[in-house]
Amino acid sequence: MALRRPAGLLVAPLVAVLLGSVPTIPAPLAEPVPRPWPAGGPSSAEAIEALSIVTPVPGTLGTDPSRAAIGRRLFTDTRLSRGGDRACITCHDITTNGASAAARDLATDGTPVPRNTPTVFNAALSFRLGWAGDILSLRDQDEKALTEPEFLGGSWPRILAVIRADPALAGPFRAAYGREVDREAVIDAISQFERSLLTPDSRFDRWLRGDAHAITESERAGYDLFRGIGCAACHQGVNVGANLFEKVGIFVAIPNKSGEVLRVPSLRNVAVTAPYFDDGSVATLPEAVRMMARAQLGREMTPAQVAAIVAFLGTLTGSYDGRPLTAPEAPAAPGEGRRP
């Protein structure tokens, strides 16, 4: 406004288009909102068309349960951080939306990190990680999170010493990996847990699977509009995005961002992951939709059209541990990062 497929097949042609020369004056979007889908669930042909754009979130990626259970404990263990005062869950709150309500969370020195924290939910479905898409895998991300000052700022000697001295961790590591805990096992355990952080069973996914009553007529119209004006060119696949790169500000310049190339974010659970954009500068989903339509598609949308797409995006909220994701509490003050 990440599907495990060979990235080059999709990224190369779209990036070529997105980085090309384009007009800079947005065109008004014609009324009315496009026709809704027929009453009830999609027909066979419609289902095939819909599933070629968005596919449901899987219930599992085949993680090792014993290793993922260790990873869950490490995800919440503040002892692994430099100051012993933060853990992965400090900024990636898996009891709410997998991120936080802060525009930018705080580094170990108390300063805001450079970019807004993405949700950890469904990250395993992304073809790259981070706003710049420069992190190639969950394993790379986990090592950065554990050791870089921007995140936990821990050190491997300390991390391993803490785990080896705790029988409740050292024993399960030996049982799960057949050896004493080491750096590779720690990274793998956390990655295994993060691969389990999926949010299936969104209302839209239920509709894709044939539940005629999972979404409303207006939400279907919003999906039709989402496809019709071009949002789905970049936001598609199992993660409704997160599988290609895009130039920022194609039609209209965005202050301090135009010309930058970022990984297209996933729209899964987007209704509960405010604030938006890599700097967390937009507080509401309607404003984010309006800005993306103008800057990336050259479209001026009416309030009714914005509302239609927002209604559709609301159907993408899935569930974790049997409960729908929710938005976290807002920070104490505007712009203040989340503190451990």
Side-chain angles (χ1 to χ4, degrees):
M1 95 131 159
L3 188 75
R4 295 285 184 180
R5 67 172 69 181
L9 297 180
L10 179 61
V11 176
L14 276 175
V15 169
V17 172
L18 293 171
L19 298 183
S21 175
V22 291
T24 57
I25 302 176
L29 183 60
E31 295 280 11
V33 171
R35 61 168 180 80
W37 291 74
S43 67
S44 296
E46 290 161 349
I48 291 171
E49 179 186 11
L51 287 166
S52 71
I53 299 171
V54 178
T55 55
V57 171
T60 179
L61 292 177
T63 57
D64 182 296
S66 61
R67 296 183 179 189
I70 298 170
R72 176 186 284 270
R73 296 186 62 177
L74 298 179
F75 195 86
T76 62
D77 197 330
T78 60
R79 297 175 300 169
L80 307 185
S81 66
R82 174 190 295 177
D85 57 355
R86 60 175 59 207
C88 301
I89 199 172
T90 301
C91 297
H92 293 288
D93 184 0
I94 58 173
T95 68
T96 57
N97 68 354
S100 76
R104 291 186 293 162
D105 288 307
L106 301 180
T108 54
D109 64 0
T111 61
V113 298
R115 297 185 191 269
N116 176 255
T117 300
T119 179
V120 72
F121 284 118
N122 303 314
L125 301 175
S126 299
F127 90 114
R128 297 283 184 88
L129 298 170
W131 282 97
D134 55 345
I135 303 171
L136 302 184
S137 69
L138 282 175
R139 300 168 75 89
D140 294 335
Q141 173 61 50
D142 293 338
E143 177 147 25
K144 287 172 64 71
L146 286 168
T147 60
E148 292 192 0
E150 182 178 321
F151 306 111
L152 302 188
S155 67
W156 281 113
R158 174 185 170 84
I159 291 169
L160 296 177
V162 165
I163 296 172
R164 288 168 182 164
D166 185 347
L169 285 172
F173 262 109
R174 283 193 297 271
Y177 289 91
R179 63 183 190 272
E180 295 297 321
V181 63
D182 55 22
R183 170 181 163 276
E184 180 65 22
V186 171
I187 293 172
D188 180 72
I190 297 174
S191 298
Q192 288 280 334
F193 172 58
E194 290 174 337
R195 283 173 57 81
S196 75
L197 294 176
L198 303 174
T199 61
D201 201 38
S202 72
R203 291 192 295 114
F204 189 72
D205 285 355
R206 296 204 302 271
W207 182 77
L208 286 175
R209 292 188 175 106
D211 182 347
H213 305 291
I215 65 176
T216 67
E217 196 74 12
S218 61
E219 290 163 346
R220 293 175 194 165
Y223 175 55
D224 207 21
L225 180 61
F226 181 86
R227 295 179 309 126
I229 67 172
C231 303
C234 293
H235 292 288
Q236 27 59 25
V238 65
N239 238 358
V240 199
N243 59 353
L244 55 88
F245 293 96
E246 182 179 38
K247 181 180 176 182
V248 178
I250 296 174
F251 288 85
V252 174
I254 297 177
N256 303 318
K257 296 192 183 308
S258 291
E260 189 175 10
V261 175
L262 298 177
R263 182 191 64 125
V264 174
S266 166
L267 295 183
R268 289 286 179 184
N269 307 304
V270 70
V272 297
T273 55
Y276 302 104
F277 304 148
D278 70 304
D279 58 0
S281 60
V282 174
T284 69
L285 190 53
E287 181 60 18
V289 169
R290 186 178 298 107
M291 286 183 63
M292 283 294 95
R294 194 168 197 271
Q296 302 304 109
L297 300 175
R299 301 284 192 177
E300 293 290 355
M301 300 183 70
T302 67
Q305 290 161 341
V306 170
I309 287 184
V310 168
F312 157 64
L313 295 177
T315 71
L316 296 175
T317 301
S319 297
Y320 177 67
D321 273 352
R323 54 170 179 76
L325 268 59
T326 57
E329 293 183 7
E336 182 181 351
R338 182 176 180 133
R339 299 181 182 275

